[in-house]
Amino acid sequence: MNRNIGFFVVAVLVLPSWSWSADSLARSARVVIGPDQLVIGEKLASAGQYLDCAKSSVQHTIRKCTLKPAWIQASSSVGLRIEKATLNIHFQDDVINMAVEYAAGFDAVFSAYKAALPGTPKITYWADDGHLYASYIWIAGNTEVEITKTVKGSAGDGKTRVYVASISVERPLSPEDAL
């Protein structure tokens, strides 16, 4: 076997799990709506038909959108039914980030993400005056996935939300917003 090919095969086999591509992480955390999908860092394409997007009279670079209520029943992510999805869409139609809310509790959602995403999440703790939180975070390439659990204090509304974001930089400003 060619020494370079052998090295490449060994290098691929021993790569740590965090080296998975952003595309892989983003695709694993996608929202599926019937035959279409919303994937962080990718164009909306035909999935735009499922969104209600607010128009802004001030800026045109980012559109704030929600999944239309009529499509909630046909939507899922990591194999779980979702209750709500809120997205930010760049004016060039890239999905920048989304918050996905689930009907299932934290343990079921966390287990589904652990099974669907590569590697082990990093854990960070943070607090406010009445709570202690644990955030479980996966990062690969230009994609970040975060799910937070209330460790101490009131669980608020009890909903489980997962945040999926593109962390790529230097997206252009809309020409309509240029100074």
Side-chain angles (χ1 to χ4, degrees), residues 113-136:
Y113 272 87
K114 278 182 65 175
L117 301 182
T120 302
K122 304 298 182 207
I123 303 170
T124 186
Y125 296 96
W126 54 284
D128 59 26
D129 287 342
H131 300 86
L132 174 62
Y133 303 98
S135 288
Y136 301 86

Side-chain angles (χ1 to χ4, degrees), residues 80-81 83 102-109 158-160:
L80 298 173
R81 189 176 74 75
E83 286 192 339
Y102 292 88
F106 177 86
D107 292 337
V109 174
K159 303 283 184 180
T160 302

Side-chain angles (χ1 to χ4, degrees), residues 29-31 66-67 72-73 75-78 80-87 98-106 109 113 146-147 157-164:
R30 73 188 176 275
V31 170
T66 58
L67 185 59
I72 295 293
Q73 291 296 325
S75 303
S76 67
S77 184
V78 296
L80 298 173
R81 189 176 74 75
I82 67 172
E83 286 192 339
K84 184 178 180 181
T86 306
L87 300 93
M98 65 182 160
V100 182
E101 189 173 294
Y102 292 88
F106 177 86
V109 174
Y113 272 87
E146 178 178 341
I147 180 172
D157 65 7
K159 303 283 184 180
T160 302
R161 293 176 186 87
V162 173
Y163 301 94
V164 185

Side-chain angles (χ1 to χ4, degrees), residues 26-50:
R27 288 198 163 279
S28 295
R30 73 188 176 275
V31 170
V32 176
I33 311 162
D36 291 309
Q37 55 191 357
L38 299 167
V39 181
I40 293 301
E42 292 188 6
K43 300 283 185 204
L44 271 179
S46 62
Q49 68 183 318
Y50 306 111

